[in-house]
Amino acid sequence: QQQQQQQQLRPSNDNNNRLRAQPQPPLIDEANTDTQQSPPLLPFPYAKLQVLPITKAITQQQIQQRRQQIPTDYGKNPLTGSFTLGSEYNLSQKTGDDDNQKGTIGGIIYFPHADLSTLLPEDIASSFYSLRFVPIQKDVDEVFPSVLVGSEQSQSKKQAILTRCGYKPSSPGGISTAPNQDRSFIANFFLNLQSNVATVKSAAVGEDLQVPSALLMGIYDGHGSSGHVVSHFVALELPRIFTKLIQTKRPPNAVGSSEYDDYVTQIFKEAYLEVDSMEPVEGSAGCTASSLFYPGEGTKAYIANVGDSTTMIVQYSKSTKQSTIVHQNRKHKPHLPDEKLRINAAGGEIMIPPSLGNENSNNNAIQESSRLVVPPPNGDPFGGMALAMSRAIGDSDAKVVGLISEPEVDVWDLNNYHKQHQSSSEQIDDSEWFSVVASDGMYDVITPGEVANKLGQSLYSDESVVSPLEACEQLIRKATLLWMNLAGPYRDDISIGVS
C-alpha cells in the first residue's frame, strides 16, 4: 500500500510544474564555477555571466541572435556567494558613469551560501531505506550534524540564504542528473555610495551590515527542461534592470506616499516585462518570480509576484518568542476566478484535479495543482504540457492561451497594520519584522508557520543556539526527509532566504 501511494505521488519526470520536462546532464557552467569558488567581496562578475547585455539600443533582432549563442552549459550550476555591487546599482538618478563614483560600492548581493547538495551525500541515493523513516518530529540537528556551523556567513544574525538541488531520477531506480532550477538572492543597495571597502568587507564575511540600505530579495523557481536557464537569467538581470529603471524614472519626493506606491508598482511591472521579453529560451520553459522591495525608509514594503513561489512578511514577538505571518503573496493558479476568466477569454483550457478543494483529501500528501494546458508544438498530440501556474517569466508557448508575465504587486504598510489591529505602544515595541522568500520545494512539505517560527527565533531569540543560516539548513534538511517519506526518491529543489 505504501508503494502504491508513493507511485501516485511521485512525478514521472524531473519537474513537477512542467509535466513532461526531461532531466538534463550536469554539464559544468565554467563562468559560474568561478563565481562559486571566488572569495567573498569580489565585485559581482555580471559582465562575465551575462548572455544578453543590457544596452540602451538593443533590438529584438540582437536578442534573437544572442539567444542562439547561449552556451549549452549556461545555468547548470546555481549562483552562490557574496559580491559587491558597483555604483551602477545605486538607486539614485546617477548611473555610475561619473568619474567621482568609480571605485565606490553601491551595495552587496548575496546568493545562497552554498548548494547543500555539494556539501552533503545524497540521502536518497546513498541510504534511502535506512533514512526514510527517521522520526521527523525530532529536530533535524539531532539526526544530522550541521555542515555549516563555524562558517563565516553562519554568524550573521540579520539574513541568510541557502538552497539544495532536488533529486529527480528519470526512471525508477535511476540516478538524478537534473540541475538545480531554483535561483534566489538578497541585495542591499546602499542609500549612500560607500568608498570604504573595509566597511563593507566585514558584512560579506558574516558580520551584519551597519550601512543604511534598501532591500531587494527574491525567489525564482524554474520549470521545464531549460527552466534553470530562465531562472538563472532572471536572477542575474532583474536586480540590474530594476535599478536601471529607478535611475531613469524620477520617483516622487515622498517615500511611502500613494504616488510612490504607484511608482514602485510600475517599476516592478516594467522590470518583469523587460526581463520576460529578453529571456533566453523563448520556448517551453519558464520560472516563477516573487520579489520584495523595501526602499530603506518608511513603513511600506512592496511584493511583486508571478507564479507559485512565496514571499512572506512576518512579525516576531519578543515576549512570546512566536512569529506571525502578516502577509504573503497570492499564488497564481489557473483555477482562480480572475485568472480563469483571462485564460478562458484567450481560448485556454484548465485541468482541475478532483482533490483540489476536497476537504477529505489527505492533508499529509503533496497537494495537487490546477494546470493550464499548453498547446502542443507542431500539432504533436503527445507534445502538450500542463503548467501548474497562470503567470510566469518565460513559457512563451503558453502566452497564446492566457499566461502572462505581468506581476501582481502588493503594497504592505506597517502603519496600516497597527491601525487595523489597534496595536498598543507595548505591542509595537514588542515586535520585530522580517521577510522570507522560498520555493514550493519547501512549502509543499513544511507549513509557512513552522518556517516563520524557526527563522524568527534564529533571528531574534537570545535562547536560540542556531544562526539564521543554520536554521535554513535545518529546514531544508527536514524538508528533504519529508519529501522522502511522501514521494519516495523524488525531491523538488528547495530554496529559502530570510532578511
Side-chain angles (χ1 to χ4, degrees), residues 473-487:
E473 179 193 9
Q474 291 182 8
L475 286 166
I476 288 176
R477 297 184 78 172
K478 180 173 182 178
T480 298
L481 292 178
L482 287 166
W483 273 101
M484 290 168 64
N485 280 353
L486 292 172

mmCIF file with all atom_site columns, all heavy atoms in Angstrom, residues 473-487:
data_model
loop_
_atom_site.group_PDB
_atom_site.id
_atom_site.type_symbol
_atom_site.label_atom_id
_atom_site.label_alt_id
_atom_site.label_comp_id
_atom_site.label_asym_id
_atom_site.label_entity_id
_atom_site.label_seq_id
_atom_site.pdbx_PDB_ins_code
_atom_site.Cartn_x
_atom_site.Cartn_y
_atom_site.Cartn_z
_atom_site.occupancy
_atom_site.B_iso_or_equiv
_atom_site.pdbx_formal_charge
_atom_site.auth_seq_id
_atom_site.auth_comp_id
_atom_site.auth_asym_id
_atom_site.auth_atom_id
_atom_site.pdbx_PDB_model_num
ATOM 1   N N   . GLU A 1 473 ? 19.384 25.711 7.004  1.00 0.00 ? 473 GLU A N   1
ATOM 2   C CA  . GLU A 1 473 ? 19.882 24.362 6.749  1.00 0.00 ? 473 GLU A CA  1
ATOM 3   C C   . GLU A 1 473 ? 18.970 23.318 7.382  1.00 0.00 ? 473 GLU A C   1
ATOM 4   O O   . GLU A 1 473 ? 18.616 22.305 6.747  1.00 0.00 ? 473 GLU A O   1
ATOM 5   C CB  . GLU A 1 473 ? 21.304 24.202 7.286  1.00 0.00 ? 473 GLU A CB  1
ATOM 6   C CG  . GLU A 1 473 ? 21.866 22.800 7.064  1.00 0.00 ? 473 GLU A CG  1
ATOM 7   C CD  . GLU A 1 473 ? 23.142 22.532 7.850  1.00 0.00 ? 473 GLU A CD  1
ATOM 8   O OE1 . GLU A 1 473 ? 23.506 23.358 8.704  1.00 0.00 ? 473 GLU A OE1 1
ATOM 9   O OE2 . GLU A 1 473 ? 23.759 21.461 7.616  1.00 0.00 ? 473 GLU A OE2 1
ATOM 10  N N   . GLN A 1 474 ? 18.571 23.535 8.620  1.00 0.00 ? 474 GLN A N   1
ATOM 11  C CA  . GLN A 1 474 ? 17.711 22.567 9.299  1.00 0.00 ? 474 GLN A CA  1
ATOM 12  C C   . GLN A 1 474 ? 16.364 22.432 8.586  1.00 0.00 ? 474 GLN A C   1
ATOM 13  O O   . GLN A 1 474 ? 15.836 21.324 8.440  1.00 0.00 ? 474 GLN A O   1
ATOM 14  C CB  . GLN A 1 474 ? 17.522 22.970 10.754 1.00 0.00 ? 474 GLN A CB  1
ATOM 15  C CG  . GLN A 1 474 ? 18.779 22.835 11.600 1.00 0.00 ? 474 GLN A CG  1
ATOM 16  C CD  . GLN A 1 474 ? 18.550 23.195 13.055 1.00 0.00 ? 474 GLN A CD  1
ATOM 17  O OE1 . GLN A 1 474 ? 17.422 23.404 13.484 1.00 0.00 ? 474 GLN A OE1 1
ATOM 18  N NE2 . GLN A 1 474 ? 19.623 23.264 13.832 1.00 0.00 ? 474 GLN A NE2 1
ATOM 19  N N   . LEU A 1 475 ? 15.810 23.545 8.134  1.00 0.00 ? 475 LEU A N   1
ATOM 20  C CA  . LEU A 1 475 ? 14.534 23.480 7.431  1.00 0.00 ? 475 LEU A CA  1
ATOM 21  C C   . LEU A 1 475 ? 14.671 22.723 6.110  1.00 0.00 ? 475 LEU A C   1
ATOM 22  O O   . LEU A 1 475 ? 13.815 21.905 5.760  1.00 0.00 ? 475 LEU A O   1
ATOM 23  C CB  . LEU A 1 475 ? 14.017 24.900 7.171  1.00 0.00 ? 475 LEU A CB  1
ATOM 24  C CG  . LEU A 1 475 ? 13.457 25.635 8.391  1.00 0.00 ? 475 LEU A CG  1
ATOM 25  C CD1 . LEU A 1 475 ? 13.292 27.120 8.096  1.00 0.00 ? 475 LEU A CD1 1
ATOM 26  C CD2 . LEU A 1 475 ? 12.130 25.023 8.827  1.00 0.00 ? 475 LEU A CD2 1
ATOM 27  N N   . ILE A 1 476 ? 15.739 22.972 5.377  1.00 0.00 ? 476 ILE A N   1
ATOM 28  C CA  . ILE A 1 476 ? 15.932 22.283 4.101  1.00 0.00 ? 476 ILE A CA  1
ATOM 29  C C   . ILE A 1 476 ? 16.143 20.789 4.322  1.00 0.00 ? 476 ILE A C   1
ATOM 30  O O   . ILE A 1 476 ? 15.605 19.947 3.587  1.00 0.00 ? 476 ILE A O   1
ATOM 31  C CB  . ILE A 1 476 ? 17.117 22.905 3.333  1.00 0.00 ? 476 ILE A CB  1
ATOM 32  C CG1 . ILE A 1 476 ? 16.735 24.293 2.805  1.00 0.00 ? 476 ILE A CG1 1
ATOM 33  C CG2 . ILE A 1 476 ? 17.548 22.004 2.167  1.00 0.00 ? 476 ILE A CG2 1
ATOM 34  C CD1 . ILE A 1 476 ? 17.860 25.021 2.112  1.00 0.00 ? 476 ILE A CD1 1
ATOM 35  N N   . ARG A 1 477 ? 16.888 20.430 5.358  1.00 0.00 ? 477 ARG A N   1
ATOM 36  C CA  . ARG A 1 477 ? 17.159 19.006 5.591  1.00 0.00 ? 477 ARG A CA  1
ATOM 37  C C   . ARG A 1 477 ? 15.918 18.290 6.121  1.00 0.00 ? 477 ARG A C   1
ATOM 38  O O   . ARG A 1 477 ? 15.685 17.115 5.816  1.00 0.00 ? 477 ARG A O   1
ATOM 39  C CB  . ARG A 1 477 ? 18.356 18.857 6.519  1.00 0.00 ? 477 ARG A CB  1
ATOM 40  C CG  . ARG A 1 477 ? 19.632 19.422 5.901  1.00 0.00 ? 477 ARG A CG  1
ATOM 41  C CD  . ARG A 1 477 ? 20.847 19.219 6.748  1.00 0.00 ? 477 ARG A CD  1
ATOM 42  N NE  . ARG A 1 477 ? 21.344 17.856 6.656  1.00 0.00 ? 477 ARG A NE  1
ATOM 43  C CZ  . ARG A 1 477 ? 22.502 17.448 7.186  1.00 0.00 ? 477 ARG A CZ  1
ATOM 44  N NH1 . ARG A 1 477 ? 23.270 18.315 7.826  1.00 0.00 ? 477 ARG A NH1 1
ATOM 45  N NH2 . ARG A 1 477 ? 22.886 16.205 7.074  1.00 0.00 ? 477 ARG A NH2 1
ATOM 46  N N   . LYS A 1 478 ? 15.091 19.008 6.893  1.00 0.00 ? 478 LYS A N   1
ATOM 47  C CA  . LYS A 1 478 ? 13.824 18.402 7.305  1.00 0.00 ? 478 LYS A CA  1
ATOM 48  C C   . LYS A 1 478 ? 12.914 18.224 6.099  1.00 0.00 ? 478 LYS A C   1
ATOM 49  O O   . LYS A 1 478 ? 12.250 17.187 5.956  1.00 0.00 ? 478 LYS A O   1
ATOM 50  C CB  . LYS A 1 478 ? 13.136 19.264 8.361  1.00 0.00 ? 478 LYS A CB  1
ATOM 51  C CG  . LYS A 1 478 ? 11.801 18.680 8.819  1.00 0.00 ? 478 LYS A CG  1
ATOM 52  C CD  . LYS A 1 478 ? 11.201 19.448 9.975  1.00 0.00 ? 478 LYS A CD  1
ATOM 53  C CE  . LYS A 1 478 ? 9.889  18.799 10.423 1.00 0.00 ? 478 LYS A CE  1
ATOM 54  N NZ  . LYS A 1 478 ? 9.279  19.485 11.584 1.00 0.00 ? 478 LYS A NZ  1
ATOM 55  N N   . ALA A 1 479 ? 12.870 19.229 5.222  1.00 0.00 ? 479 ALA A N   1
ATOM 56  C CA  . ALA A 1 479 ? 12.062 19.102 4.010  1.00 0.00 ? 479 ALA A CA  1
ATOM 57  C C   . ALA A 1 479 ? 12.533 17.924 3.164  1.00 0.00 ? 479 ALA A C   1
ATOM 58  O O   . ALA A 1 479 ? 11.717 17.213 2.558  1.00 0.00 ? 479 ALA A O   1
ATOM 59  C CB  . ALA A 1 479 ? 12.132 20.396 3.201  1.00 0.00 ? 479 ALA A CB  1
ATOM 60  N N   . THR A 1 480 ? 13.844 17.689 3.131  1.00 0.00 ? 480 THR A N   1
ATOM 61  C CA  . THR A 1 480 ? 14.385 16.539 2.396  1.00 0.00 ? 480 THR A CA  1
ATOM 62  C C   . THR A 1 480 ? 13.795 15.240 2.921  1.00 0.00 ? 480 THR A C   1
ATOM 63  O O   . THR A 1 480 ? 13.354 14.373 2.152  1.00 0.00 ? 480 THR A O   1
ATOM 64  C CB  . THR A 1 480 ? 15.917 16.501 2.514  1.00 0.00 ? 480 THR A CB  1
ATOM 65  O OG1 . THR A 1 480 ? 16.467 17.682 1.919  1.00 0.00 ? 480 THR A OG1 1
ATOM 66  C CG2 . THR A 1 480 ? 16.486 15.275 1.835  1.00 0.00 ? 480 THR A CG2 1
ATOM 67  N N   . LEU A 1 481 ? 13.771 15.088 4.240  1.00 0.00 ? 481 LEU A N   1
ATOM 68  C CA  . LEU A 1 481 ? 13.222 13.868 4.841  1.00 0.00 ? 481 LEU A CA  1
ATOM 69  C C   . LEU A 1 481 ? 11.735 13.725 4.542  1.00 0.00 ? 481 LEU A C   1
ATOM 70  O O   . LEU A 1 481 ? 11.237 12.629 4.271  1.00 0.00 ? 481 LEU A O   1
ATOM 71  C CB  . LEU A 1 481 ? 13.456 13.874 6.348  1.00 0.00 ? 481 LEU A CB  1
ATOM 72  C CG  . LEU A 1 481 ? 14.900 13.740 6.834  1.00 0.00 ? 481 LEU A CG  1
ATOM 73  C CD1 . LEU A 1 481 ? 14.963 13.822 8.351  1.00 0.00 ? 481 LEU A CD1 1
ATOM 74  C CD2 . LEU A 1 481 ? 15.508 12.434 6.356  1.00 0.00 ? 481 LEU A CD2 1
ATOM 75  N N   . LEU A 1 482 ? 11.013 14.834 4.595  1.00 0.00 ? 482 LEU A N   1
ATOM 76  C CA  . LEU A 1 482 ? 9.580  14.775 4.337  1.00 0.00 ? 482 LEU A CA  1
ATOM 77  C C   . LEU A 1 482 ? 9.301  14.398 2.881  1.00 0.00 ? 482 LEU A C   1
ATOM 78  O O   . LEU A 1 482 ? 8.359  13.645 2.601  1.00 0.00 ? 482 LEU A O   1
ATOM 79  C CB  . LEU A 1 482 ? 8.947  16.124 4.674  1.00 0.00 ? 482 LEU A CB  1
ATOM 80  C CG  . LEU A 1 482 ? 8.847  16.423 6.181  1.00 0.00 ? 482 LEU A CG  1
ATOM 81  C CD1 . LEU A 1 482 ? 8.525  17.889 6.421  1.00 0.00 ? 482 LEU A CD1 1
ATOM 82  C CD2 . LEU A 1 482 ? 7.798  15.535 6.837  1.00 0.00 ? 482 LEU A CD2 1
ATOM 83  N N   . TRP A 1 483 ? 10.094 14.926 1.960  1.00 0.00 ? 483 TRP A N   1
ATOM 84  C CA  . TRP A 1 483 ? 9.946  14.513 0.566  1.00 0.00 ? 483 TRP A CA  1
ATOM 85  C C   . TRP A 1 483 ? 10.180 13.011 0.419  1.00 0.00 ? 483 TRP A C   1
ATOM 86  O O   . TRP A 1 483 ? 9.475  12.328 -0.332 1.00 0.00 ? 483 TRP A O   1
ATOM 87  C CB  . TRP A 1 483 ? 10.928 15.284 -0.322 1.00 0.00 ? 483 TRP A CB  1
ATOM 88  C CG  . TRP A 1 483 ? 10.408 16.606 -0.800 1.00 0.00 ? 483 TRP A CG  1
ATOM 89  C CD1 . TRP A 1 483 ? 10.700 17.837 -0.302 1.00 0.00 ? 483 TRP A CD1 1
ATOM 90  C CD2 . TRP A 1 483 ? 9.490  16.829 -1.870 1.00 0.00 ? 483 TRP A CD2 1
ATOM 91  N NE1 . TRP A 1 483 ? 10.030 18.816 -0.983 1.00 0.00 ? 483 TRP A NE1 1
ATOM 92  C CE2 . TRP A 1 483 ? 9.279  18.230 -1.968 1.00 0.00 ? 483 TRP A CE2 1
ATOM 93  C CE3 . TRP A 1 483 ? 8.830  15.988 -2.769 1.00 0.00 ? 483 TRP A CE3 1
ATOM 94  C CZ2 . TRP A 1 483 ? 8.435  18.800 -2.919 1.00 0.00 ? 483 TRP A CZ2 1
ATOM 95  C CZ3 . TRP A 1 483 ? 7.990  16.555 -3.725 1.00 0.00 ? 483 TRP A CZ3 1
ATOM 96  C CH2 . TRP A 1 483 ? 7.803  17.940 -3.793 1.00 0.00 ? 483 TRP A CH2 1
ATOM 97  N N   . MET A 1 484 ? 11.160 12.486 1.142  1.00 0.00 ? 484 MET A N   1
ATOM 98  C CA  . MET A 1 484 ? 11.445 11.047 1.066  1.00 0.00 ? 484 MET A CA  1
ATOM 99  C C   . MET A 1 484 ? 10.261 10.239 1.567  1.00 0.00 ? 484 MET A C   1
ATOM 100 O O   . MET A 1 484 ? 9.893  9.206  1.005  1.00 0.00 ? 484 MET A O   1
ATOM 101 C CB  . MET A 1 484 ? 12.698 10.725 1.881  1.00 0.00 ? 484 MET A CB  1
ATOM 102 C CG  . MET A 1 484 ? 13.983 11.257 1.273  1.00 0.00 ? 484 MET A CG  1
ATOM 103 S SD  . MET A 1 484 ? 15.382 11.175 2.417  1.00 0.00 ? 484 MET A SD  1
ATOM 104 C CE  . MET A 1 484 ? 15.530 9.420  2.626  1.00 0.00 ? 484 MET A CE  1
ATOM 105 N N   . ASN A 1 485 ? 9.635  10.695 2.653  1.00 0.00 ? 485 ASN A N   1
ATOM 106 C CA  . ASN A 1 485 ? 8.504  9.965  3.210  1.00 0.00 ? 485 ASN A CA  1
ATOM 107 C C   . ASN A 1 485 ? 7.278  10.042 2.306  1.00 0.00 ? 485 ASN A C   1
ATOM 108 O O   . ASN A 1 485 ? 6.491  9.098  2.221  1.00 0.00 ? 485 ASN A O   1
ATOM 109 C CB  . ASN A 1 485 ? 8.142  10.530 4.590  1.00 0.00 ? 485 ASN A CB  1
ATOM 110 C CG  . ASN A 1 485 ? 9.051  9.999  5.680  1.00 0.00 ? 485 ASN A CG  1
ATOM 111 O OD1 . ASN A 1 485 ? 9.872  9.121  5.433  1.00 0.00 ? 485 ASN A OD1 1
ATOM 112 N ND2 . ASN A 1 485 ? 8.925  10.529 6.876  1.00 0.00 ? 485 ASN A ND2 1
ATOM 113 N N   . LEU A 1 486 ? 7.102  11.167 1.628  1.00 0.00 ? 486 LEU A N   1
ATOM 114 C CA  . LEU A 1 486 ? 5.880  11.390 0.865  1.00 0.00 ? 486 LEU A CA  1
ATOM 115 C C   . LEU A 1 486 ? 5.994  10.992 -0.598 1.00 0.00 ? 486 LEU A C   1
ATOM 116 O O   . LEU A 1 486 ? 5.007  10.576 -1.199 1.00 0.00 ? 486 LEU A O   1
ATOM 117 C CB  . LEU A 1 486 ? 5.484  12.874 0.955  1.00 0.00 ? 486 LEU A CB  1
ATOM 118 C CG  . LEU A 1 486 ? 5.020  13.366 2.331  1.00 0.00 ? 486 LEU A CG  1
ATOM 119 C CD1 . LEU A 1 486 ? 4.855  14.873 2.325  1.00 0.00 ? 486 LEU A CD1 1
ATOM 120 C CD2 . LEU A 1 486 ? 3.715  12.686 2.724  1.00 0.00 ? 486 LEU A CD2 1
ATOM 121 N N   . ALA A 1 487 ? 7.167  11.157 -1.178 1.00 0.00 ? 487 ALA A N   1
ATOM 122 C CA  . ALA A 1 487 ? 7.296  10.976 -2.624 1.00 0.00 ? 487 ALA A CA  1
ATOM 123 C C   . ALA A 1 487 ? 8.392  10.012 -3.027 1.00 0.00 ? 487 ALA A C   1
ATOM 124 O O   . ALA A 1 487 ? 8.786  9.987  -4.193 1.00 0.00 ? 487 ALA A O   1
ATOM 125 C CB  . ALA A 1 487 ? 7.535  12.334 -3.290 1.00 0.00 ? 487 ALA A CB  1
#
